[in-house]
Amino acid sequence: MNTVLKEENNDLVMYFEGRLDTASAPETEKAVAPLKESSGRDIILDCSKLDYISSAGLRIFLSILKSAKPKGDHVYIRGISDSIRAVFAMTGFVNLFEFK
Amino acid sequence: MKSLLNIEKHMKGILQYIRRKLSIRVSLSVVFFAAIIFIVALGFFFYQAREAVRQEAINRAMQTLDKTSLRVEGILNRVEVASEMTKWLVQRHPDVPDSMFVYSRSMLLNNPDFYNCSIAFEPNYFKDKGRYFSAYTKHDCDSLRTIQGGSDSYQYFYMDWYLMPTLLNMPCWTEPYMDLDVVTSTSEMLTSYCQAINDKQGKLIGVINTSLSISWLSQTISAVKPYPNSYSIMIGRGGTYFVHPDTTKITSQTIFTQNLERPDTALASLGHAMQKGEEGVKQMKMDGQHCYVFYKPLGKTGCSMAIVCPESDIFSGFDRLRNSVIAIVLVGLLFMLIFFIRIITSELKPLRRLATEAKTIASGQFDAKLPELRRIDEIGQLSHSFADMQQSLVKYIEELKKTTAQKASIESDLRIASGIQMAMLPKGYPPYPERDDIDIYGQLVSAKEVGGDLFDFFMRDEKLFFCIGDVSGKGVPASLVMAVTRTLFRSVAAHEALPDRIVTDMNETMAANNESDMFVTLFVGVLDMLSGRMRYCNAGHDAPILVGSGAGLLPCDSNIPVGVMQDWKYTPQETTIDPGTTIFLYTDGLTEAENKDHAQFQEKRILDVIRQTPHAPKQIIEAMTQAVHQFVGDADQSDDLTMLALQYKHQQPDIYYQRSLTLPNDVQTIPKLSGFVETVCEASNLDMDTCMQMNLAIEEAVVNVMNYAYPKGVKGMVNIDATISSKGLKFVISDNGKPFDPTAKAEVDTSLSAEERGIGGLGIHLIRQIMDGINYEYIDGRNVLTLLKVI
């Protein structure tokens, strides 16, 4: 599991690559910590290279959203594959996030 | 014939009318009664009066007859006396012929009512007078004509009147005879008193003949008329009529003449009686008229006289009186009838109005105004009672309407409630058509609209949860408790897979709020579809019957019913159901179904039916229903009748592929798991997306075990067995950690917003979403979670 944080057009973009499962979740959790600390900028979670996500990964996504929302920041999910979108759909997360 | 029928029809119509009219009927009865009294009284009176009149008539006629006869006898006596006197005179001076004229003349002078008188002498009695000498005096107009009557042409001494007294040697009356008066050439019917005259030597010298005119006598007699139409008759010795209103009969006919033409015994006997000189009364028919005939002999003349009085004359006055009285009575009765009819009709008028009003009321117009009667008699009372009745009727109808409406509303509510209650029961059999491992059939027949029986079943995580229960009591209260029970069962069993815990939870809730002291006998079973293991808990309900190779009761602990007491620890029980076995559950409505003789159906009969029936649930229940109906017959269903049958038909599938993996309880080993799952997925030819989802589901399940099965810091193992069979892909994740049922977790709500959503429960949610079946069992100290995916 690799994560890269970039700044694009004043937005914070986090690129996920590989499998976001229970094993890689703690490490990813640390990686997304800057996203939670940021303020005044929209967050884009780029999932175009994300192969797999488990409930542990979904919890990380939810924690990002939960920290951004009170600040008025938007969290967008970008480039999501159909199979992962299906997982989002199963859990009702499609209703929580905005997709690009 | 036709007119007869018509008359009959009219009569019927009249009778019908009379039957309908009380006034006419009563009046007729009264008048009829009065008429009977009148008839009896008047009949008696008329009879007595008629008798009196008759007696009076007889007396009167007899008196008249006596008087007349006396008179006639007087006349006759006078003739006889006069004749005697003349005889004496003649005897004193028998040789002075001229004085004979004087004697004869003086006889008529003294007795002007005598017709004639002749003193006739023996031939040649007076030498100087020749052969004939008869001093004959006769009335000639107002004077008397006295002549010498004998001549050659009238040789008197050959006449009857002359011969009779001489031959009989006693004076006698002749039969009437016709006397021809030569001078005036007139003839007259006469009867003569003839008396022989003898000289001192006793030698016959002549005969004195004194005649009376029959017509005069007749007039004298006929003048006596006790009644206007009465008449007198007189007959002589031979029965010859001397006096008769029909003058042609006089002397030419006798009383018997008529008898020759037309035999008339009455007339003949009258004739005989009169001839014999008898005196009396006879009632007989004379010339076609009913008459009273009074008869009496007339002195020594040998004649008999009779007065004929027509009955019509005698009773004419009486009849007139009678007819008048009858007419008066009839008219009186008629007036009485009319009067009564009118009186009664007017008295009954309010009744008729009442009847009309009653009809109006009966037609549904309850507010019809009743006639107000200010009477205190029976009709007034009736009217008042009727008015009271009407008021009550209106009141009762109102109440009835209200009650009926309420009842209808209650009934409608009950129907709806019944519908709601029925909707709570599982519907649509078979309930799981896609499954070949279970067959279920249930049936609930309420004794009332709503009942207290319940049964329910549902499938969760490859486990069949089912229950059957019977609420104490019946009707609406029981149905409400039933609804509560069923709801509690569903809500508790949604996250609890152990029957004893389900029942205990339900009991806590129900007993805590049980103010009406109602309770439920309940059997809860949880059948593990994969293993056939059935956990169950019986809270005072009838033990189910297991129908396998044999049939027998499922052993049950004696627990108290649900709702009786809090803190009761319900004991769990378990057994293994062999494939093909049917579990038959029922309520006491079956065992206690009563027939007319109050005999109960009982367990024995249930077992008998089961033994004779194939084990398919539907067949068992249908056979049982039929058997109960047959047993109960016409008796009313006294209790709800509920049956539920479940047949476990699980067959072990053919296994094509099998692989296992054991991991320590360390999430860092998850990639290993991922590899293992991918291998299995490849073996079952799943596509990439499904494969990824399988991966996700298994990972979530295994992570769950790793995180929660063992206490922190305790090392443990997780086994993952994968099999591919005809039924699909099966993962069994097992561990020997503390018992933990992930399926018992409440479902996450995916519709909540980000802020509201917790972070837990996502894993089990994903598993349920991805897999076709999930099943948790705690077997032999191991948590066993089975995940199924149909391929």
Side-chain angles (χ1 to χ4, degrees):
Chain A
M1 181 69 210
N2 291 314
T3 50
V4 180
L5 183 61
K6 286 185 182 170
E7 210 170 311
E8 291 174 11
N9 305 327
N10 204 30
D11 292 340
L12 283 176
V13 183
M14 178 68 101
Y15 289 88
F16 295 91
E17 191 183 344
R19 294 173 58 88
L20 179 49
D21 57 15
T22 313
S24 56
E27 165 200 341
T28 312
E29 184 99 53
K30 282 176 200 154
V32 300
L35 292 179
K36 294 182 187 173
E37 285 154 18
S38 82
S39 177
R41 280 197 286 188
D42 286 349
I43 296 162
I44 297 171
L45 305 173
D46 189 297
C47 299
S48 42
K49 285 193 178 153
L50 185 68
D51 299 330
Y52 175 87
I53 187 165
S54 73
S55 64
L58 290 171
R59 265 181 230 115
I60 294 169
F61 276 35
L62 184 62
S63 66
I64 295 168
L65 182 65
K66 278 192 167 182
S67 76
K69 269 221 160 171
K71 297 177 226 166
D73 299 339
H74 288 271
V75 179
Y76 297 100
I77 290 175
R78 195 168 69 187
I80 192 169
S81 72
D82 287 346
S83 57
I84 290 178
R85 196 188 181 93
V87 177
F88 270 72
M90 280 181 220
T91 52
F93 275 39
V94 282
N95 304 318
L96 304 179
F97 291 93
E98 292 169 87
F99 291 85
K100 277 201 166 173
Chain B
M1 197 64 195
K2 212 171 175 185
S3 65
L4 256 175
L5 279 176
N6 262 342
I7 287 168
E8 207 171 307
K9 226 165 101 185
H10 278 294
M11 284 302 290
K12 265 186 188 169
I14 289 167
L15 282 178
Q16 201 68 33
Y17 183 74
I18 289 173
R19 228 173 272 146
R20 269 211 331 269
K21 289 281 179 180
L22 178 69
S23 55
I24 294 182
R25 224 164 51 235
V26 170
S27 308
L28 276 177
S29 306
V30 170
V31 170
F32 179 71
F33 190 66
I36 285 178
I37 291 174
F38 274 122
I39 286 170
V40 171
L42 287 180
F44 181 71
F45 167 72
F46 285 149
Y47 176 75
Q48 292 294 337
R50 198 182 158 93
E51 272 307 296
V53 168
R54 203 169 73 90
Q55 206 53 53
E56 172 60 29
I58 289 170
N59 289 343
R60 187 169 156 195
M62 286 313 272
Q63 271 176 15
T64 312
L65 192 60
D66 282 346
K67 227 161 73 187
T68 312
S69 102
L70 275 175
R71 204 165 146 198
V72 170
E73 272 174 29
I75 293 167
L76 297 181
N77 270 338
R78 211 150 33 81
V79 171
E80 286 169 25
V81 169
S83 173
E84 196 63 41
M85 286 286 295
T86 309
K87 180 187 163 188
W88 183 76
L89 283 173
V90 172
Q91 279 174 332
R92 275 188 64 189
H93 308 287
D95 42 5
V96 188
D98 288 333
S99 63
M100 297 309 158
F101 289 107
V102 177
Y103 298 153
S104 146
R105 192 177 180 86
S106 65
M107 172 98 102
L108 284 201
L109 270 176
N110 292 331
N111 300 288
D113 44 357
F114 294 178
Y115 183 74
N116 65 12
C117 177
S118 53
I119 306 165
F121 289 86
E122 284 288 284
N124 301 315
Y125 181 74
F126 295 108
K127 309 290 183 230
D128 52 342
K129 294 292 179 185
R131 186 174 163 79
Y132 312 105
F133 186 84
S134 170
Y136 173 79
T137 309
K138 184 186 174 283
H139 286 287
D140 191 6
C141 296
D142 293 333
S143 59
L144 286 173
R145 177 159 49 88
T146 306
I147 52 168
Q148 199 287 114
S151 65
D152 287 339
S153 58
Y154 184 63
Q155 299 184 1
Y156 57 82
F157 35 79
Y158 296 128
M159 301 308 273
D160 281 352
W161 59 266
Y162 193 90
L163 291 172
M164 268 169 69
T166 54
L167 293 174
L168 293 170
N169 206 21
M170 59 178 283
C172 64
W173 284 91
T174 62
E175 286 286 292
Y177 62 94
M178 193 60 76
D179 176 71
L180 180 73
D181 183 30
V182 187
V183 182
T184 54
S185 294
T186 52
S187 56
E188 183 72 35
M189 187 62 73
L190 300 177
T191 184
S192 307
Y193 184 72
C194 319
Q195 193 173 28
I197 313 165
N198 300 317
D199 59 11
K200 283 170 184 138
Q201 288 76 38
K203 189 179 166 254
L204 175 78
I205 56 170
V207 168
I208 302 173
N209 171 357
T210 316
S211 298
L212 289 175
S213 162
I214 288 289
S215 63
W216 171 80
L217 201 59
S218 175
Q219 271 167 17
T220 307
I221 292 172
S222 297
V224 180
K225 273 187 169 220
Y227 297 102
N229 292 317
S230 66
Y231 59 90
S232 310
I233 55 173
M234 193 175 124
I235 56 168
R237 271 186 214 93
T240 316
Y241 286 118
F242 286 180
V243 177
H244 196 281
D246 183 359
T247 46
T248 59
K249 283 189 179 171
I250 296 174
T251 68
S252 64
Q253 282 189 16
T254 70
I255 197 163
F256 304 110
T257 313
Q258 208 177 328
N259 217 29
L260 298 174
E261 294 164 17
R262 253 180 297 127
D264 187 345
T265 48
L267 191 62
S269 82
L270 174 69
H272 289 305
M274 287 174 78
Q275 264 188 319
K276 280 183 201 156
E278 286 170 7
E279 182 179 341
V281 183
K282 269 189 200 296
Q283 195 180 0
M284 56 189 288
K285 225 172 170 183
M286 292 281 267
D287 301 327
Q289 258 189 320
H290 284 286
C291 301
Y292 279 91
V293 181
F294 307 92
Y295 55 94
K296 197 181 173 171
L298 284 178
K300 292 168 279 180
T301 57
C303 292
S304 183
M305 124 167 226
I307 298 177
V308 180
C309 301
E311 260 184 35
S312 58
D313 263 27
I314 296 173
F315 295 114
S316 68
F318 169 77
D319 284 346
R320 240 189 345 268
L321 178 72
R322 185 188 60 191
N323 292 344
S324 308
V325 169
I326 287 175
I328 288 168
V329 165
L330 281 181
V331 170
L333 286 177
L334 189 66
F335 273 111
M336 191 169 149
L337 181 66
I338 293 167
F339 181 70
F340 270 124
I341 289 175
R342 290 209 135 185
I343 288 267
I344 294 171
T345 306
S346 85
E347 285 290 315
L348 292 185
K349 211 170 179 180
L351 266 191
R352 269 211 305 283
R353 278 165 65 199
L354 266 182
T356 316
E357 293 310 321
K359 240 185 216 168
T360 316
I361 290 168
S363 71
Q365 271 183 273
F366 296 108
D367 53 349
K369 188 108 176 73
L370 279 179
E372 263 195 42
L373 296 181
R374 288 206 183 81
R375 294 169 61 149
I376 53 165
D377 60 359
E378 289 84 346
I379 290 174
Q381 286 166 14
L382 178 65
S383 171
H384 287 306
S385 306
F386 198 80
D388 290 347
M389 191 189 80
Q390 186 196 19
Q391 279 174 6
S392 304
L393 202 60
V394 169
K395 211 172 80 195
Y396 288 135
I397 292 279
E398 270 314 305
E399 276 172 18
L400 192 63
K401 267 187 198 162
K402 228 185 275 172
T403 315
T404 310
Q406 278 171 353
K407 196 165 170 253
S409 146
I410 288 171
E411 272 170 7
S412 150
D413 287 355
L414 275 179
R415 263 201 308 281
I416 294 166
S418 172
I420 292 170
Q421 198 180 28
M422 284 301 153
M424 283 183 177
L425 302 173
K427 271 193 301 287
Y429 295 99
Y432 306 112
E434 76 284 358
R435 299 190 74 117
D436 56 5
D437 54 356
I438 189 77
D439 186 9
I440 306 176
Y441 194 77
Q443 176 183 293
L444 189 154
V445 182
S446 288
K448 295 182 172 181
E449 279 85 351
V450 289
D453 274 13
L454 74 142
F455 72 88
D456 194 18
F457 56 82
F458 66 94
M459 193 72 85
R460 172 166 78 76
D461 303 334
E462 292 302 302
K463 283 187 174 65
L464 180 70
F465 292 75
F466 60 93
C467 73
I468 188 164
D470 182 2
V471 180
S472 60
K474 290 191 191 82
V476 174
S479 78
L480 291 174
V481 177
M482 172 265 181
V484 168
T485 309
R486 187 264 184 193
T487 312
L488 265 179
F489 169 72
R490 279 275 170 135
S491 62
V492 174
H495 57 84
E496 182 58 71
L498 294 172
D500 55 312
R501 289 204 195 156
I502 294 173
V503 174
T504 306
D505 273 12
M506 288 172 71
N507 182 50
E508 290 309 306
T509 311
M510 290 182 70
N513 306 309
N514 192 359
E515 276 164 19
S516 52
D517 290 328
M518 296 193 75
F519 58 85
V520 195
T521 66
L522 188 70
F523 179 95
V524 175
V526 179
L527 176 63
D528 187 71
M529 294 309 294
L530 300 176
S531 60
R533 180 187 303 271
M534 181 173 81
R535 296 174 202 273
Y536 60 94
C537 179
N538 189 4
H541 196 80
D542 298 86
I545 294 168
L546 291 185
V547 192
S549 47
L553 294 177
L554 181 71
C556 287
D557 293 343
S558 44
N559 286 308
I560 58 168
V562 173
V564 174
M565 193 171 85
Q566 267 182 299
D567 301 327
W568 180 271
K569 185 83 183 90
Y570 287 90
T571 54
Q573 286 179 280
E574 68 171 72
T575 187
T576 303
I577 304 297
D578 296 326
T581 301
T582 300
I583 308 157
F584 179 71
L585 304 108
Y586 57 90
T587 57
D588 58 10
L590 178 62
T591 44
E592 290 168 14
E594 283 188 358
N595 64 8
K596 272 183 184 164
D597 307 325
H598 298 290
Q600 296 190 339
F601 192 66
Q602 292 183 330
E603 232 162 59
K604 190 187 155 293
R605 287 194 179 80
I606 301 175
L607 293 170
D608 286 348
V609 173
I610 283 173
R611 284 192 193 105
Q612 293 160 11
T613 318
H615 298 165
K618 193 175 177 182
Q619 279 171 297
I620 289 182
I621 287 178
E622 279 174 354
M624 202 65 73
T625 307
Q626 204 185 351
V628 169
H629 281 171
Q630 231 166 37
F631 175 76
V632 167
D634 296 335
D636 286 339
Q637 186 187 347
S638 54
D639 199 358
D640 299 344
L641 173 60
T642 306
M643 290 179 270
L644 175 64
L646 322 147
Q647 189 175 28
Y648 179 62
K649 300 194 291 187
H650 183 72
Q651 297 297 326
Q652 287 301 330
D654 298 333
I655 294 168
Y656 310 135
Y657 178 93
Q658 206 162 11
R659 209 182 154 107
S660 294
L661 176 72
T662 305
L663 290 176
N665 59 337
D666 179 3
V667 291
Q668 293 308 312
T669 57
I670 289 299
K672 265 191 188 173
L673 177 67
S674 178
F676 171 77
V677 173
E678 268 163 33
T679 315
V680 175
C681 287
E682 270 169 39
S684 43
N685 295 320
L686 291 178
D687 59 70
M688 283 287 287
D689 284 356
T690 315
C691 187
M692 193 208 89
Q693 288 186 357
M694 294 304 293
N695 223 318
L696 176 57
I698 307 301
E699 184 200 318
E700 297 294 345
V702 171
V703 166
N704 240 335
V705 174
M706 288 173 170
N707 285 343
Y708 303 111
Y710 299 102
K712 269 236 151 81
V714 176
K715 296 242 177 201
M717 306 301 285
V718 184
N719 281 339
I720 303 110
D721 298 298
T723 46
I724 304 171
S725 70
S726 50
K727 293 257 174 146
L729 190 53
K730 180 169 90 172
F731 289 93
V732 178
I733 296 140
S734 59
D735 63 83
N736 52 7
K738 59 178 180 185
F740 172 74
D741 182 1
T743 62
K745 274 205 156 185
E747 275 283 276
V748 293
D749 189 349
T750 56
S751 64
L752 296 176
S753 66
E755 291 85 352
E756 292 164 324
R757 287 195 71 153
I759 50 165
L762 268 179
I764 188 70
H765 176 72
L766 281 168
I767 297 170
R768 287 191 193 283
Q769 292 285 313
I770 293 163
M771 305 306 287
D772 295 315
I774 176 171
N775 175 265
Y776 168 83
E777 278 289 275
Y778 187 74
I779 308 168
D780 303 331
R782 290 183 72 82
N783 290 304
V784 180
L785 183 71
T786 308
L787 305 179
L788 293 169
K789 183 73 183 175
V790 179
I791 304 171

